[in-house]
Amino acid sequence: MAWVGYAFATIICYSFFDLFLKLASSKMHSSLNGVLVNLIGMGIAALYLLYSYLQGEKVFAVKPGGWWPTIMAGIVIGFAGIFIVKMFASDVNLSLGSPLVRIGSVILASLLGIFILREGINARYIFGFVIA
């Protein structure tokens, strides 16, 4: 699948993720919600890891410098899960909270790419940013 297909699949998954978090946010503590969501997500990732391994992929090959950004990504997604559940539990509408978080994420990630990763601004960047 091309990157655009993965992008649309991710959009669908994140949209339903927000919907289900909003539905659960006022029905359980944000800590329990965060743990359950991440455990279930970890289970799905583990099944995919096993599937990839059984397909002969070298899933345990890690290049130098691959561990620290992975660990940091896990830390920030853990906090993000807690914060988004807390946001929805504070009675914000899904139609307001989700776009605010996603649009804010697009802007911040774009700036991080430009200033930290030194990614250039070109026609493809502008197209992706406008579409997002």
Side-chain angles (χ1 to χ4, degrees):
M1 182 184 316
W3 72 269
V4 175
Y6 289 121
F8 281 111
T10 304
I11 290 167
I12 291 167
C13 288
Y14 272 133
S15 298
F16 280 97
F17 172 75
D18 287 353
L19 172 67
F20 295 135
L21 280 182
K22 175 62 179 170
L23 291 172
S25 65
S26 62
K27 296 176 177 57
M28 69 172 60
H29 193 275
S30 59
S31 296
L32 177 60
N33 185 300
V35 167
L36 292 174
V37 166
N38 284 291
L39 282 175
I40 293 165
M42 185 182 74
I44 290 171
L47 287 173
Y48 182 66
L49 176 73
L50 177 62
Y51 170 79
S52 298
Y53 177 77
L54 293 174
Q55 296 297 311
E57 295 180 34
K58 296 179 181 178
V59 297
F60 297 107
V62 179
K63 294 178 182 176
W67 287 104
W68 78 267
T70 300
I71 292 166
M72 294 306 296
I75 290 169
V76 297
I77 198 66
F79 281 112
I82 292 167
F83 295 145
I84 198 166
V85 171
K86 291 280 225 188
M87 178 189 73
F88 285 137
S90 68
D91 208 28
V92 68
N93 289 340
L94 176 66
S95 59
L96 173 62
S98 184
L100 176 65
V101 168
R102 298 298 180 233
I103 292 168
S105 297
V106 167
I107 293 168
L108 182 57
S110 180
L111 293 172
L112 291 172
I114 291 168
F115 292 111
I116 293 178
L117 300 179
R118 305 282 186 223
E119 297 173 349
I121 298 174
N122 55 33
R124 185 175 179 183
Y125 166 83
I126 293 169
F127 175 75
F129 192 82
V130 169
I131 293 299

